[in-house]
Amino acid sequence: FDCIFSAVFLVSPYWWLSQIANMAFSQQRNPMTLGIYGSLVIGTLLLSTIVSFLFFYTLLRASQKLHEKMTTAVIKAPVIFFDTNSAGRILNRFSKDIGCMDDTLPPQFLHAVQLCLFSLGATLLSAATNYWLVIGITPLVFLFLYFGRYYLKTSRELKRLEAIKCSPVYAHISDTVVGLEVIRSSGMEDSFLQELFR
């Protein structure tokens, strides 16, 4: 709800500029008219900052709760879970996926929400003045949605393949760290290094 209110407020300075363009020149230079425009711009800036802060806070809390649930699930998992899943795959879930949720996802998600709401607001504002625009934009929206779904499927598959490919490396490093004393005492450093590069 806050994001929608912020998007409406984000379009309001443009709406006020369109109202100013229809005024007489003396009315355009009026301090009251310029004060309203300045207030809308400053209000938009402050509201966008507050909404961004709340949005980031909410997503980081969600990431923290997910991490806690994952930790609880792994601790309570039966032994067969560790036999069927390598340590590298489990570490990959904790490090890379939670790292993505902490670092990459919040700014991109906020940017996507703001961009969608701003585009919707700009489209509705333009459609209110020229309703023929809706007819021209409708096929473009469906085309965009089709290509967006195609990209998401491809992107997910590539991420899955990357995770599967990196999992044995993480498992090997984890096993090496756990058995470091035995590897050094047995003089097996070279063989473990060769196995890592395979």
Side-chain angles (χ1 to χ4, degrees):
F1 180 73
D2 292 336
C3 288
I4 295 172
F5 184 68
S6 174
V8 170
F9 219 80
L10 197 64
V11 175
S12 63
Y14 298 107
W15 173 80
W16 185 247
L17 277 178
S18 70
Q19 298 300 315
I20 291 175
N22 295 329
M23 295 178 184
F25 184 71
S26 61
Q27 210 174 5
Q28 288 178 358
R29 307 271 305 174
N30 188 352
M32 181 71 168
T33 306
L34 297 175
I36 291 172
Y37 178 67
S39 301
L40 287 174
V41 169
I42 290 171
T44 301
L45 179 68
L46 290 174
L47 189 65
S48 295
T49 304
I50 291 168
V51 166
S52 297
F53 176 76
L54 290 174
F55 195 80
F56 277 108
Y57 179 75
T58 303
L59 287 179
L60 288 176
R61 285 287 300 153
S63 175
Q64 183 180 7
K65 286 184 179 181
L66 177 67
H67 187 271
E68 289 170 2
K69 285 183 179 180
M70 284 173 62
T71 305
T72 305
V74 168
I75 289 172
K76 292 181 178 179
V79 176
I80 192 150
F81 172 76
F82 297 102
D83 291 339
T84 56
N85 294 305
S86 64
R89 186 172 289 172
I90 298 169
L91 284 173
N92 192 17
R93 290 288 164 248
F94 275 93
S95 62
K96 190 170 183 188
D97 293 352
I98 296 294
C100 272
M101 283 189 67
D102 287 343
D103 302 332
T104 309
L105 195 59
Q108 287 183 353
F109 190 54
L110 177 65
H111 184 68
V113 168
Q114 285 178 339
L115 188 64
C116 288
L117 289 175
F118 184 74
S119 300
L120 182 68
T123 304
L124 291 177
L125 192 64
S126 300
T129 58
N130 184 4
Y131 58 88
W132 290 101
L133 180 70
V134 176
I135 296 169
I137 249 175
T138 304
L140 291 175
V141 168
F142 285 118
L143 191 66
F144 177 76
L145 290 174
Y146 171 74
F147 282 125
R149 289 184 64 173
Y150 179 76
Y151 167 76
L152 279 177
K153 280 190 219 174
T154 309
S155 176
R156 281 189 196 129
E157 192 63 25
L158 285 173
K159 288 287 184 188
R160 188 184 67 79
L161 289 173
E162 179 189 5
I164 289 172
K165 184 158 176 62
C166 291
S167 184
V169 174
Y170 293 140
H172 182 73
I173 290 172
S174 174
D175 292 343
T176 304
V177 170
V178 168
L180 200 56
E181 297 87 10
V182 177
I183 293 170
R184 287 201 175 145
S185 64
S186 304
M188 301 289 292
E189 294 96 345
D190 291 334
S191 64
F192 266 77
L193 203 59
Q194 292 302 320
E195 190 178 331
L196 176 66
F197 291 127
R198 268 193 249 156

